[in-house]
Amino acid sequence: MSQEISLTEEEQRIRELEQLLIKYGSRVDSGLLGNIFSESQRRIASLIANLPGMAYRCENIENWKMEFVSEGGLSVTGYTPEELINNTPAYGDIIHPDDSKRVWDTVKNAVDKKDRYELEYRIYDREGRERWVWEQGGAVIENDMVIFLEGFIMDITAQKLVERKLSEQSHRERFLADLIEKAEQPFAIGFSDGKLGMCNHAFSKLTGYTLDELKAVDWSNVLTPPEWRKSEAESLKRLQETKKQVNYEKEYVRKDGTRIPVELIVHITQDEKTGEEYYYAFVTDITERKKAERDRKELQKQLSQAQKLESIGRLAGGVAHDYNNMLSVITGYSELIIESISPEDQIYEDMQEIYEAAKHSAEITQQLLAFARKQTVSPRVTDLNNTIEKILKMIRRLIGEDIELLWIPRENLWPVKIDPTQINQIMANLCVNARDSISNVGKITIETETCTFDDDYCNSHSDCKKGSYVMIAVSDNGCGMDDRTVDMVFEPFFTTKKSGKGTGLGLATVYGIVKQNNGFINIYSEPEHGTTIKIYIPRHIEDIESEKSILQGRSISMGDSETILVVEDEPATLRLTARMLNELNYSTILSGSPIAAIEKARENTDKISLLVTDVVMPEMNGKQLAQALRDIHPKIKVLYMSGYTANVIAHRGILDEGIHFLPKPFTKKDLADKVHQIIKTGETG
C-alpha cells in the first residue's frame, strides 16, 4: 500500500526539529525547543528522543546513507547517532552477512512498490556481539516520487533467546511425545482425580477406547473393575508416600466389556508450576503370562497327581498279590467256620464281621489298583448304552427306593474301546456319591451324548485332546459342592463323608480309570444346586482319516456384528465365551451378575440382539433374569448355558421345554451354530 505525503508548513518545521535532534540528540534544551517550536512539536521531539529503539531516515536510498538517527541508535547498535549518520560505520556494514541480501532485497522491493515492510535480522554491535533486531519502515512519497525512507529498529535479542529456548524445549517435547506415541509399550499419564492426561496408541489399542474417549473417562472407575480398586488404591497410596515406583497387577475392562490382565509400572511426579501430582504408567498385557501360569499350575497339579498315582501304584502293585493271598485265606477260613457252626452260636456273628471286613479290604485293593492304573484290564469295543443298561438294576438297588433314577441314552451312540468292568466301577462310584449327597428323597439322572472338541476348546482346556468323545453324565439334585471341594474331589483319600462312611477312593478310582483310557472329566457343582459329573471317553474309530474329516469338515457360522449380552458368574468362562463370540464377529456386553446385567440392558436397549446366560447364578437364575430383561426388551432372544445337562435343568423346573440350551463344555463351533440359529430364525427361546 502506498503512502503519499505532501510537506505542509508544520511538517517542514518538524524536519528542522529532526535536524536539530541530529546535531544535539536528546540533550536539546527544553527552553530552546520552547522558543522555536509549539507544544505539540516539543512532544514529538521528546518522544523520538526517548523511544526504546532507533528511529531513522535515509534520503539517499541507493547507499542507505542515514540523514537522521534517534538517540536510541546507541542502545541498539552501540554506535552514536553521529557515527551512523557519518557512515562510520555505514549501517549496511553492520548487518550480518548472511542476512544482508535478504534485508536489502526486502527494503528495495518495498521502495519499488512504494509500500511498507517489516522483517527480523541480525547485526553486529560495536563490541562485535551478534544481536537480533526487528525493523519496520517504508518509503515516503511526494508527487509520486520516493523522497526518503524512514523506519524504526528495535533490539529483540532477549526475545529471540527466549524463543530459541522455547523452540528447543518444544522440539524436545514433540520428540518425546512422538517417541511415546509410536512405542509398542502402552503408556498413560493419569491424575489423582481419575482423569487421563495423555496416552499413546498402544494403550488405546489395549483398552479398545479411542484417545478422545480415554481422555473423557474416569480410568479409576471405567477401566478398573470394582474388585481391583481397593488394591490399586493401596498401591498408589504407597507410591505417594515413598515416591518410589510401584509394580502391581490388575485387570482392565475393555470397551467391549471383556477383561484383560495387565501389569503396571507406575511412577509419580509433580508439575513444577501448579504443584499438582500425576502418575505415569507403563502397562503390559500379561494374558499370555497368566495363561502360562495357569498351564504351569495345571501341569504341576497333573504332575502331583501322577506322582501320587505312581506312589500308590507301587504300593498297591507291590502288596496286592501277597495281600490278596492273605485275604483269600481269611475269607476262605471264615467261610468254612461259618458253614460249620450254627447261626445261634456265639461266634457266628463275629465270624460274619470278619468275613465282610476281608471282602471290603479286597475291594479297597481293587480300587487302589484302578486308581493307580495297575489294574489288569481287557479293553474291547463297547456300546456304553448297552453296558449301562445292564447295570441299571444294580444301580437302583445301590441308591435306594427314595431316589428316582432317570436314564436318558442318546440314540446311535458312537462306540468306545474300554473294559466294560471299568464302566461298572465308574457308574457305581458316581451313583453312590450322588446318593450320599441327597437328603431323603431326590433324583439321579444318567445321560449319554456325543461330543467333538476342536483346537479352540483344547487350547483353553489342557486336559482335553482334539477329537470326538462319548460323554457319560451323572447328575443329582443333592447338596452340591463349593469350589474348594470341587478342586479336591479327585485327591486319593479325600472325602466329605463322616468317619467310617467312605474311603476317599471313589472319585479317585473314577479319575484313574478315565485317565487310563485317555479321557477327561468335568465337574459342575454349586452349593444347594446339586452336581453334574461328565466323563468323556474317546470315540473308537478304526480309520484315522475319518476322524480328521469330522473335525476339518465343520464349518463355522459367522455373525454380522450383532450385539450379545453375556451373563456368567464364573470370570474365566465369561472371558472365554466373549472371546469366542468376538472371533465369530459378534459384539459383546459382559456381566458377572444378573443385577449388573439388568443395568447394562437398560443402557443398551436398542443394541442387544441376544442374551446368553448361565442358568444357575447368585441373585437369580437364568430364567428369572430373562423374564426381568423382557420387561426392558420384550423381544429379546435367549440362549441358556449350563454345566448341568438340559434334562436336569428342565426337571428342576428352572427352564421350560423348547428353550435354547447349550451344555458346558462347548466348542466355538457349538456356540457359533447355536447363536446363528437363534438370531437368524428369530426365535426368542
Side-chain angles (χ1 to χ4, degrees), residues 330 380 454 534 586 677:
I330 295 171
R380 62 175 181 265
D454 53 20
K534 295 181 177 181
Y586 294 104
Q677 172 197 348

Side-chain angles (χ1 to χ4, degrees), residues 308-325:
K308 292 173 185 175
L309 287 170
E310 186 63 27
S311 298
I312 294 173
R314 284 197 299 268
L315 172 65
V319 304
H321 182 265
D322 292 339
Y323 186 56
N324 282 332
N325 284 339

Side-chain angles (χ1 to χ4, degrees), residues 47 164 288 374 397 415 488 516 521 525 577 647 674:
L47 175 64
R164 181 182 299 170
E288 291 303 318
K374 300 293 183 180
R397 286 199 302 268
M488 299 180 68
Q516 189 177 28
I521 307 176
S525 186
T577 306
N647 291 293
K674 207 71 176 177

Side-chain angles (χ1 to χ4, degrees), residues 3-16:
Q3 179 181 1
E4 296 195 9
I5 300 177
S6 59
L7 295 176
T8 62
E9 181 179 348
E10 184 169 340
E11 288 172 334
Q12 185 64 38
R13 300 194 63 178
I14 291 174
R15 291 188 64 185
E16 293 174 4

Side-chain angles (χ1 to χ4, degrees), residues 187-190 194-196 198-199 203-204 206-210 213-229 232 250-262 264 283:
F187 176 83
I189 296 177
K195 295 294 184 182
L196 282 176
M198 70 157 289
C199 56
F203 189 86
S204 171
L206 179 72
T207 61
Y209 289 92
T210 66
E213 287 173 334
L214 284 167
K215 290 179 181 178
V217 303
D218 182 339
W219 57 267
S220 59
N221 289 324
V222 175
L223 293 179
T224 306
E227 65 269 26
W228 288 96
R229 292 171 191 167
E232 180 167 56
K250 59 180 278 190
E251 286 183 324
Y252 276 151
V253 180
R254 303 182 78 251
K255 186 178 179 180
D256 62 7
T258 58
R259 294 192 179 194
I260 184 170
V262 293
L264 281 79
V283 185

Side-chain angles (χ1 to χ4, degrees), residues 460-597:
S460 57
H461 297 77
S462 57
D463 56 345
C464 174
K465 293 182 180 178
K466 180 171 130 178
S468 298
Y469 294 80
V470 175
M471 180 203 73
I472 309 169
V474 177
S475 305
D476 64 71
N477 60 352
C479 61
M481 298 179 284
D482 57 25
D483 290 342
R484 179 178 174 276
T485 304
V486 169
D487 288 340
M488 299 180 68
V489 291
F490 296 128
E491 295 287 329
F493 308 112
F494 172 80
T495 181
T496 58
K497 299 174 184 178
K498 294 180 181 179
S499 178
K501 295 294 184 180
T503 62
L505 286 171
L507 287 178
T509 299
V510 171
Y511 181 88
I513 292 172
V514 172
K515 288 299 179 182
Q516 189 177 28
N517 288 278
N518 300 314
F520 65 99
I521 307 176
N522 279 330
I523 297 183
Y524 302 90
S525 186
E526 293 189 34
E528 308 306 324
H529 288 286
T531 301
T532 292
I533 298 181
K534 295 181 177 181
I535 307 294
Y536 296 89
I537 306 297
R539 175 188 183 185
H540 178 67
I541 300 178
E542 295 290 345
D543 184 1
I544 300 299
E545 290 305 315
S546 61
E547 170 74 359
K548 291 182 179 179
S549 65
I550 289 173
L551 292 170
Q552 295 173 354
R554 306 174 77 212
S555 60
I556 299 273
S557 301
M558 301 298 291
D560 193 21
S561 301
E562 295 93 340
T563 299
I564 298 176
L565 173 60
V566 184
V567 188
E568 167 64 64
D569 61 326
E570 171 54 50
T573 305
L574 182 65
R575 289 194 293 269
L576 178 62
T577 306
R579 178 178 173 183
M580 287 180 175
L581 289 170
N582 292 152
E583 290 179 359
L584 291 168
N585 198 35
Y586 294 104
S587 297
T588 53
I589 300 171
L590 306 186
S591 176
S593 72
I595 299 301

Side-chain angles (χ1 to χ4, degrees), residues 375-430:
Q375 186 180 28
T376 302
V377 294
S378 300
R380 62 175 181 265
V381 178
T382 302
D383 183 332
L384 288 182
N385 283 347
N386 291 338
T387 303
I388 294 172
E389 283 174 356
K390 290 177 182 178
I391 60 171
L392 288 179
K393 187 178 292 187
M394 180 269 289
I395 290 174
R396 286 191 173 93
R397 286 199 302 268
L398 281 174
I399 64 177
E401 296 179 355
D402 292 336
I403 297 175
E404 179 186 356
L405 179 64
L406 188 63
W407 165 233
I408 308 174
R410 187 196 193 282
E411 295 181 2
N412 302 316
L413 197 66
W414 294 331
V416 296
K417 192 169 185 178
I418 190 171
D419 189 329
T421 61
Q422 291 183 312
I423 297 298
N424 296 347
Q425 286 181 284
I426 289 174
M427 298 308 300
N429 281 306
L430 293 183

